[in-house]
């Protein structure tokens, strides 16, 4: 346990990477050095860390020389190219992109749910999709206690999930609108999906498309939520359906989740269970108008749960409202927790 680590953050200047460097300051890990890696454009920029400034270096294979832990958040194609290079240099990779998530040799980990699967790693560990992570934190305690047959989720996702450029696009559109541009003429170049043909305004809008469409009519984001859930919960029999929607919120993903449990339970029992659950903060008191809100989740590591109701037609059906900061528990914080857990389990 006396090791101390050199940690590289690939994509350190991005929306998630910036949070990773910030969180490393307080991480429960012995750290010798943090390396900040980004594109050529950012080389020489500085990022504050503890009482010093880290100078950004270019993301190259050689940058991983001497690195013990490499946390990637620079995009799937860069993870595809450089994560294996980092492993070759002896690093353990924690990857925030979707590239390796469904690879059977790559554990997909939410530390509150399946930390033991870290033991099976072969150099790369995947951080799940942001919307999936918060749903797992809220639902795993219910699954453990009462069994889980079915999940139907609709998301209300923040633009920061599409990176720093997504945030800038929303902010610019709001400015354009205030300056008199009609809503349908706002400049849209990124959302709903950088890789798709058409772009629509996100300001004052709701876009039922996150990432590109598959042939079955589901988007890739929806596919991720459905398939990652089964992998993380190690249960292919859970029925999952997702509808993912981007809304004009900067940070904090919200989810309306309907579940069907196997054993009889009550709203009170679910509230008591979730009030004690790791990583969960219960905010559920309609008499006080207390429920989770995206703006209150910002910069908080918790997953907030409220609006728990029994379905009026199905006694084993329940509705929940689940909110978390997509940049923290949905990305950066989950990655840091993975690193901390690996240190604790002596897997590094
Ligand atoms: P840079 O700031 O130099 O462009 P976000 O998710 O917020 O869009 O951030 C993406 C991150 O990935 C940024 O740190 C960005 O660095 C980095 N990145 C993007 N393209 C490359 C590239 N070709 N090589 C290395 N890093 C990249």
């Amino acid at each position: 346990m006396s090791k101390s680590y050199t940690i590289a953050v690939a994509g350190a200047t991005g929306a998630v990477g910036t949070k990773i460097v910030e969180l490393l300051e307080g991480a429960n890990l012995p750290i010798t050095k943090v390396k900040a890696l980004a594109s050529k454009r950012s080389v020489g920029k500085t990022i504050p860390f503890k009482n010093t400034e880290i100078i950004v270096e270019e993301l190259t294979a050689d940058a991983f020389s001497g690195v013990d832990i490499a946390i990637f958040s620079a995009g799937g194609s860069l993870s595809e190219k450089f994560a294996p290079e980092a492993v070759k240099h002896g690093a353990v990779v924690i990857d925030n992109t979707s590239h390796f998530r469904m690879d059977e040799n790559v554990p997909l980990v939410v530390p509150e749910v399946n930390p033991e699967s870290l033991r099976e790693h072969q150099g790369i560990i995947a951080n799940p999709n942001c919307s999936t992570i918060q749903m797992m934190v809220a639902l795993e305690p219910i699954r453990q206690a009462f069994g889980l047959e079915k999940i139907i989720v609709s998301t209300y996702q923040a633009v920061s999930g599409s990176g720093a450029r997504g945030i800038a696009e929303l902010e610019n559109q709001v400015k354009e609108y205030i300056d008199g541009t009609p809503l349908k003429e706002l400049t849209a170049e990124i959302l709903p999906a950088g890789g798709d043909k058409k772009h629509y305004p996100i300001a004052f809008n709701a876009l039922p498309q996150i990432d590109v469409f598959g042939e079955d009519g589901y988007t890739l984001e929806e596919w991720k939520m459905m398939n990652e859930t089964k992998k993380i919960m190690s249960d292919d029999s859970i029925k999952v359906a997702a509808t993912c929607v981007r809304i004009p919120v900067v940070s904090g993903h919200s989810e309306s989740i309907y579940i069907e449990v196997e054993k009889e339970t009550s709203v009170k029992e679910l509230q008591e269970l979730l009030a004690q659950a790791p990583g969960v903060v219960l905010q559920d008191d309609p008499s006080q108008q207390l429920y989770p809100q995206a703006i209150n989740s910002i910069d908080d590591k918790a997953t907030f749960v409220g609006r728990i109701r029994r379905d009026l037609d199905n006694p084993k059906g329940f509705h929940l409202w689940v909110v978390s900061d997509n940049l923290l528990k949905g990305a950066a914080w989950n990655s840091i927790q993975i690193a901390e857990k690996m240190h604790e389990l002596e897997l590094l």
Side-chain angles (χ1 to χ4, degrees):
M1 289 287 231
S2 58
K3 266 191 195 166
S4 182
Y5 306 110
T6 294
I7 302 180
V9 180
T13 53
V16 172
T18 312
K19 297 285 179 188
I20 291 171
V21 177
E22 266 174 48
L23 288 172
L24 281 172
E25 285 213 16
N28 203 1
L29 280 174
I31 299 176
T32 306
K33 186 180 174 189
V34 173
K35 294 182 84 170
L37 309 177
S39 76
K40 260 194 196 136
R41 300 179 287 275
S42 300
V43 171
K45 280 189 187 163
T46 56
I47 298 180
F49 182 72
K50 296 197 171 164
N51 297 321
T52 58
E53 300 277 335
I54 309 172
I55 299 170
V56 176
E57 298 168 51
E58 189 179 352
L59 172 57
T60 61
D62 289 342
F64 294 101
S65 167
V67 168
D68 303 295
I69 306 170
I71 309 180
F72 276 73
S73 191
S77 57
L78 292 162
S79 287
E80 178 180 15
K81 183 167 171 196
F82 290 110
E85 296 291 339
V87 174
K88 268 190 219 153
H89 280 88
V92 166
V93 168
I94 301 169
D95 185 32
N96 267 287
T97 76
S98 62
H99 187 75
F100 297 103
R101 286 185 195 146
M102 297 311 293
D103 185 326
E104 59 183 23
N105 297 316
V106 173
L108 182 64
V109 178
V110 180
E112 290 86 345
V113 178
N114 60 340
E116 290 301 316
S117 55
L118 287 171
R119 295 188 190 279
E120 287 145 34
H121 88 88
Q122 295 177 22
I124 301 177
I125 293 111
N127 205 54
N129 165 271
C130 43
S131 300
T132 313
I133 292 177
Q134 67 186 67
M135 185 164 85
M136 295 301 93
V137 173
L139 298 190
E140 175 66 7
I142 300 174
R143 188 176 80 97
Q144 293 275 344
F146 306 109
L148 203 52
E149 279 187 353
K150 184 173 190 172
I151 305 168
I152 299 177
V153 55
S154 295
T155 69
Y156 303 69
Q157 295 184 225
V159 294
S160 57
S162 60
R165 292 174 70 214
I167 303 174
E169 181 155 284
L170 171 60
E171 289 175 348
N172 291 334
Q173 289 174 358
V174 171
K175 282 184 207 139
E176 280 184 313
Y177 176 70
I178 289 169
D179 290 342
T181 306
L183 286 177
K184 289 181 196 165
E185 291 170 30
L186 298 173
T187 309
E189 290 169 343
I190 297 162
L191 295 168
D196 215 337
K197 299 173 288 297
K198 291 186 185 170
H199 301 291
Y200 305 118
I202 183 64
F204 310 102
N205 205 2
L207 295 171
Q209 181 190 356
I210 299 182
D211 219 319
V212 292
F213 283 98
E215 280 176 9
D216 55 9
Y218 285 86
T219 61
L220 195 51
E221 184 84 352
E222 290 160 352
W223 187 91
K224 288 175 200 168
M225 285 195 83
M226 298 186 289
N227 288 283
E228 291 179 19
T229 293
K230 292 173 198 259
K231 178 166 175 179
I232 296 163
M233 289 184 158
S234 299
D235 185 352
D236 278 341
S237 71
I238 298 178
K239 298 179 190 113
V240 197
T243 303
C244 293
V245 181
R246 187 79 72 192
I247 59 163
V249 155
V250 173
S251 276
H253 285 353
S254 304
E255 297 176 348
S256 168
I257 305 178
Y258 170 74
I259 53 169
E260 287 177 5
V261 293
E262 284 163 10
K263 294 184 205 150
E264 293 275 341
T265 183
S266 64
V267 168
K268 190 158 175 287
E269 270 187 324
L270 290 178
Q271 286 172 329
E272 284 168 2
L273 177 75
L274 289 169
Q276 304 294 323
V280 174
V281 171
L282 183 75
Q283 291 183 327
D284 196 9
D285 187 354
S287 73
Q288 301 300 314
Q289 288 178 280
L290 177 67
Y291 39 74
Q293 294 177 40
I295 56 171
N296 296 335
S297 75
I298 295 173
D299 286 337
D300 201 306
K301 295 167 182 157
T303 295
F304 298 89
V305 184
R307 300 289 329 272
I308 304 176
R309 287 149 290 151
R310 192 194 292 275
D311 190 79
L312 296 180
D313 294 312
N314 182 349
K316 287 185 180 170
F318 292 88
H319 300 268
L320 305 87
W321 181 249
V322 176
V323 177
S324 192
D325 184 335
N326 53 297
L327 297 180
L328 291 192
K329 183 56 184 165
W333 174 234
N334 200 69
S335 306
I336 303 287
Q337 282 181 302
I338 289 174
E340 289 181 345
K341 197 49 143 184
M342 294 195 71
H343 173 64
E344 187 191 313
L345 297 174
E346 299 187 40
L347 296 172
L348 290 167

